[in-house]
Amino acid sequence: MDLSNQEFPFDVKIGFKKLFDSYEKQLDNENSHIQERAKSVLQMAKDFPLLVTGLNSTEQVEAHQEQIDFVLSDLFAPVLQSNEIKIASIPFKNYVFKSTSRFDAILKLAGKDFKPDLTTIGEDELYIMSCSIILGMHYGRKVDLRRPFHFNIPDAQGIMRNYRVLYNGDFIEFVKTPKALDLSEEDINNLLENFDNIDLWKAKFPPKSYNFNGFVLGNMYDATVDVALSDLKATLLKQETSGNYDIRDFESILQAIFNISSIRLGYTVFNKEDDVFEPIALKKNIKSHILNGDKAQKSSLSICESSYDSLFVKNEFYSVTDVAKYRKLYPDNTLYKRLHKQKIGSVILAAIRSEGKVLGIMELVSKDPQALNSVNANKLHDIIPY
C-alpha cells in the first residue's frame, strides 16, 4: 500500500536520516558502549540505503522490519516495553510500524478485527494541520494547533478507553518539490487569518508539493476519566438547555469513568415539603430503584435509618456491597427488599444537593455483588454536586 494514498501537502516516505544524523554525533562519545552502538546503527544505514532515502510503501516497511526494530531499539527500550504506550508512525495517519508491548496488549484486548483510528479530525483539518507543520519547519512560524489527538480503543469489558497521543516530530524533514510555492510574509499572515479556508491552504500548499522523510514518535496515556468527565459536563449541559438526552449517555460515561461495564443509573426525586420520594418524570426514561414502580412514598418508608442518616444528615455516600447478603441479615429492611427484588447485586446512593438542599438521590447500581467496591470516592465527588 502506498503511504501517500491520502491527499496531503507532502509525499510520505518513512526514513531514518535524522536519527542516523544523531548517531553520527555519538561516534566521538567518551563512552565506548555508546560509540559501538552508534557504529552498528550507522552500518545498518550503509547496508540498507532505503532506510535513509525512505520507504514509500507498507510492503517496503515490512521487508525492512527487522532492521527498523534494530535502529529504533534505543527509542523503544526493552525495560519500558510493558510500561510505556508508545508508537512510531507518520503524521496524521493510522499506520503504526513500531510499538511497545503495552500498546500491542491494548490492541489485542480490543479484538483481532479492531483498527485504531484518530478520532474527531476531518480530512480538511488534517490537511491544514499538515501545512502548519511545514510553516513551522520552513518558515519559522509556529502555529499553536490546540488540537488533541487521541485513539478510542475498547477494553476487554467493551468499555471505550480514550488514549491521548503526544507526538514528537524531532525525526522528520520536509524538502520542497517544484510544485512548492515560495510564501511571502503577507501570504503567511493571510493563511493564519483564514485558518479554516481549505481552498486557500491548498492553493498555497498544493498536494504533494513537499517530500516528507522521517517518522514521528507518539507517546500515549489513558485519558478516559478526563474525557468522560468532560463528556458528562457536556451531556448535563445538553439536558439543561434542550431537555433532550438519553439515560444511556450517562451510563456509558459513568462506565468509562469507573471502568465498570455493569453500572446502571437511577434517580429518585426528593420532595422536601411533603418528605416523600417521587420518581422522575417518565419522559426522562430514568428508573427509581428506590421506589421500583411506586409513584410516591414517605422517605422513612423507602430507605432505612442508616441510609437516611448517611444521605441526609452526614452528607455521605451510602453503599451496599452485597444486597443479597444484607437482605438475609436484615429481612425487614424495605430498601434491601426492593433492591433484591430487582436483582441488584450492589448499589451506591448519593444525595444530590443544591445550596444545601437535597433535590434527589442518584443511584449507581449493578447486577453484580461487589462490582461497585472499586468506585473511587474522589471521582464521585467530581461528578456529583455537593
Side-chain angles (χ1 to χ4, degrees):
M1 182 184 73
D2 184 355
L3 294 174
S4 296
N5 59 350
Q6 183 178 343
E7 188 177 53
F8 258 46
F10 46 78
D11 195 35
V12 176
K13 287 187 178 181
I14 293 175
F16 306 92
K17 181 179 181 302
K18 292 200 73 173
L19 181 60
F20 291 137
D21 290 344
S22 66
Y23 277 107
E24 287 277 1
K25 298 174 183 178
Q26 295 180 14
L27 291 175
D28 297 327
N29 195 291
E30 295 180 358
N31 188 309
S32 60
H33 295 292
I34 294 176
Q35 275 191 34
E36 290 305 312
R37 169 63 182 167
K39 289 178 182 177
S40 61
V41 170
L42 293 172
Q43 186 61 46
M44 192 70 70
K46 293 179 181 178
D47 295 342
F48 299 90
L50 278 180
L51 296 179
V52 180
T53 58
L55 310 164
N56 61 14
S57 69
T58 56
E59 290 79 12
Q60 285 187 344
V61 173
E62 291 166 4
H64 291 78
Q65 192 64 59
E66 182 179 348
Q67 292 76 34
I68 291 172
D69 290 344
F70 178 80
V71 169
L72 295 181
S73 60
D74 285 341
L75 301 178
F76 288 81
V79 294
L80 298 176
Q81 283 285 320
S82 59
N83 301 100
E84 292 186 335
I85 312 175
K86 182 187 284 189
I87 59 174
S89 62
I90 47 184
F92 313 137
K93 291 178 179 283
N94 299 315
Y95 181 60
V96 175
F97 60 88
K98 177 70 175 173
S99 55
T100 59
S101 59
R102 186 176 176 191
F103 177 81
D104 296 338
I106 290 170
L107 280 191
K108 185 177 180 181
L109 290 176
K112 64 178 182 179
D113 297 325
F114 179 81
K115 301 293 183 184
D117 189 17
L118 285 172
T119 60
T120 69
I121 304 176
E123 288 188 10
D124 288 351
E125 190 175 0
L126 286 177
Y127 195 99
I128 292 172
M129 294 173 81
S130 302
C131 298
S132 300
I133 296 176
I134 300 173
L135 271 183
M137 299 192 71
H138 265 273
Y139 294 94
R141 295 295 294 269
K142 300 296 183 184
V143 180
D144 186 1
L145 300 176
R146 294 188 181 276
R147 193 69 168 89
F149 298 97
H150 53 92
F151 290 105
N152 281 340
I153 305 175
D155 63 14
Q157 300 182 72
I159 297 173
M160 193 62 71
R161 313 296 300 175
N162 182 285
Y163 295 92
R164 194 67 54 87
V165 189
L166 303 175
Y167 282 115
N168 179 327
D170 291 344
F171 303 106
I172 63 177
E173 62 179 357
F174 291 96
V175 178
K176 285 185 174 181
T177 73
K179 294 181 182 179
L181 305 179
D182 291 321
L183 302 183
S184 66
E185 193 71 16
E186 183 180 354
D187 289 329
I188 296 172
N189 290 335
N190 192 28
L191 285 168
L192 297 180
E193 290 169 3
N194 296 274
F195 200 78
D196 296 327
N197 189 336
I198 183 62
D199 293 330
L200 178 62
W201 284 89
K202 285 187 175 181
K204 298 301 181 182
F205 290 94
K208 298 189 177 182
S209 54
Y210 285 79
N211 286 324
F212 167 94
N213 189 320
F215 66 99
V216 293
L217 289 174
N219 287 286
M220 303 166 63
Y221 68 95
D222 191 336
T224 303
V225 172
D226 294 338
V227 172
L229 286 172
S230 177
D231 288 345
L232 180 62
K233 292 174 184 176
T235 303
L236 290 171
L237 179 62
K238 176 183 174 183
Q239 68 95 8
E240 285 178 1
T241 55
S242 68
N244 180 25
Y245 67 97
D246 191 323
I247 183 62
R248 289 171 295 185
D249 293 339
F250 286 97
E251 288 180 341
S252 62
I253 292 169
L254 291 170
Q255 289 166 4
I257 290 173
F258 299 117
N259 196 29
I260 302 172
S261 61
S262 63
I263 279 184
R264 295 295 179 266
L265 178 65
Y267 187 80
T268 302
V269 176
F270 178 63
N271 183 331
K272 187 177 188 300
E273 287 70 26
D274 298 326
D275 190 26
V276 297
F277 284 130
E278 300 172 345
I280 199 168
L282 292 177
K283 65 179 182 179
K284 300 296 185 182
N285 194 30
I286 303 179
K287 180 178 181 179
S288 166
H289 298 94
I290 289 176
L291 294 175
N292 191 29
D294 287 350
K295 291 183 178 180
Q297 191 172 62
K298 284 286 185 182
S299 61
S300 58
L301 299 177
S302 302
I303 57 178
C304 59
E305 184 177 340
S306 176
S307 56
Y308 186 94
D309 186 55
S310 295
L311 297 169
F312 287 86
V313 180
K314 296 179 179 177
N315 194 18
E316 298 175 345
F317 303 123
Y318 187 74
S319 175
V320 183
T321 57
D322 189 334
V323 171
K325 173 184 175 182
Y326 283 90
R327 169 75 178 88
K328 290 180 180 179
L329 290 173
Y330 306 98
D332 297 327
N333 187 297
T334 302
L335 176 63
Y336 301 159
K337 281 182 182 179
R338 283 191 173 149
L339 294 175
H340 188 259
K341 186 176 181 180
Q342 297 169 73
K343 298 182 179 178
I344 291 172
S346 52
V347 63
I348 294 177
L349 304 179
I352 305 299
R353 296 173 182 266
S354 177
E355 299 179 351
K357 177 183 177 181
V358 176
L359 304 179
I361 307 297
M362 178 182 284
E363 310 159 350
L364 298 183
V365 305
S366 172
K367 298 291 185 183
D368 303 323
Q370 286 88 42
L372 302 179
N373 284 5
S374 61
V375 168
N376 187 304
N378 290 329
K379 291 180 184 177
L380 273 178
H381 281 289
D382 285 338
I383 65 174
I384 296 176
Y386 264 66

